[in-house]
Amino acid sequence: MTKIIVAAAPATGHFTPVRAVAQDLVNRGHDVTLTSGSQFRAAAEATGARFVPLHGIADFAADDEEKNFPEMADIPPGPERLGFGVRNTFVRPMPDQHRTLQALLAEAGDEPVALVHELAFMGAWPVRLGAPGLSPATVIGLGVVPLSLSSEDLAPFGLGQPPDDSPEGKVRNRAANRFFREEVFATTQQYLVDVLASVGATREPPFVIDGLVTLPDRFLQLSVQGVDYPRGDLPPSVRYVGAPPPVTTRKGPLPEWWQDVLDARTVVVVSQGTAANKDFDDLVQPTLDALADLDALVVATLGRPARLDRVPANARVAEFIPFGELLPHADVLVSNGGFGGVQQALSSGVPLVLAGLTEDKMEVNARAAWTGAAIDLAVQRPARADIARAVRTVLTDPSYRYRAARLAEEYARHDPFDAIEESVLELVAASASTPGR
């Protein structure tokens, strides 16, 4: 039995996959402490892990970014908004994440502890960069967004541009990445330096977007290579390990109309996920309107209690249906591009129509379209005619389902839970045999 701290920033899209990891490690007999926002206590404790809420300002509801930071509403989607989010959601809570981690390590005494965290949890950064304190035996990062690491083969993360590794493209990429670091993210990087100094760090941090991936001893991307752009400079510490399977647990019965799903010849699912679902006029309502005359059953999952203005005769609406039960019946998923939902669809062989620009969605959607298994409308609020055209294209052009099926085969070759446990055991053992660690 190994003592493991599993940590996540208090955002649903970051906590949900980490919760699944904690559950699996508990089932395998490990001593697991899960730390995240206090709003996730019930879900965390249901895993069987010990739950410890994050200290201080690190314990906040990160899903409500515009409520927490009203000024964010005035920043259009793109690199500037991404930098603002990294400063306030990733870096700002770091000192209190650090204090939480130090308290948990102190409890363990001399017993080695592995830290497994999703990339937005930066509580291990201070000690890794020279601050006084206790160190875990190993630190393993989990990628719950598209891989953000800079590469001369790629444009900077946050622009949604396709890869270009031609000689001209590499020149463009190097210049764009340099501009991104030195201009667009200059304020964010300086803020990172200042916050680290406030907790005693003595070494210069890496560029924040890169350090999220390179500071852990090993970084396990919860995806497959086929859903990411190829790059020739990927560090050996980064490994693609597949995605957790779609959630199948539900708190209550399936909707009374579930037989309609089983009987339908064609099923289109539309969802704005569980975080960016404050305004259903972004995607859910336009999709229902756009597909009202389609010979298909359209199922909308809202992710929260709500009522829609218009529900056409061919549509059904539910607050929540586990994707593990719904996706096997879906012919296409219309989504705003949450990383977890897109992974679940592709791992189930379901092609997508995507529209979303906030958070990491621009990059999620661009990559999914690059695979050939999705159409990216590349807007935040698409026109009904564009949704209808894209859905009909995906339903009638077999190439989309073919590419999704090939990706599902790639996902099926991976078990992320095995990979995480193997990394924990290997790196803890290596730490025990390394002098000075």
Side-chain angles (χ1 to χ4, degrees), residues 267-293:
V267 176
V268 178
V269 176
V270 58
S271 172
Q272 289 181 212
T274 56
N277 61 6
K278 305 299 185 293
D279 187 351
F280 293 118
D281 284 337
D282 278 350
L283 187 60
V284 170
Q285 189 67 66
T287 299
L288 297 185
D289 294 341
L291 304 182
D293 296 327

Side-chain angles (χ1 to χ4, degrees), residues 191-226:
Y191 181 63
L192 171 65
V193 170
D194 294 342
V195 170
L196 283 166
S198 74
V199 291
T202 57
R203 292 196 292 276
E204 186 77 13
F207 177 49
V208 60
I209 296 295
D210 293 344
L212 299 174
V213 176
T214 60
L215 270 186
D217 298 309
R218 184 168 294 170
F219 190 86
L220 305 180
Q221 180 68 3
L222 296 181
S223 186
V224 294
Q225 178 67 72

Side-chain angles (χ1 to χ4, degrees), residues 269-280 283-285 288 299-309 311 316-321 323 326:
V269 176
V270 58
S271 172
Q272 289 181 212
T274 56
N277 61 6
K278 305 299 185 293
D279 187 351
F280 293 118
L283 187 60
V284 170
Q285 189 67 66
L288 297 185
V299 178
T301 62
L302 304 184
R304 62 178 176 85
R307 294 181 63 87
L308 298 177
D309 293 335
V311 180
R316 305 290 184 270
V317 179
E319 177 184 340
F320 174 73
I321 303 173
F323 266 10
L326 181 56

Side-chain angles (χ1 to χ4, degrees), residues 101-127:
L101 179 59
Q102 288 300 301
L104 294 175
L105 292 172
E107 291 177 2
D110 295 331
E111 187 174 359
V113 179
L115 171 64
V116 179
H117 69 87
E118 55 81 27
L119 83 171
F121 179 88
M122 299 177 68
W125 280 53
V127 170

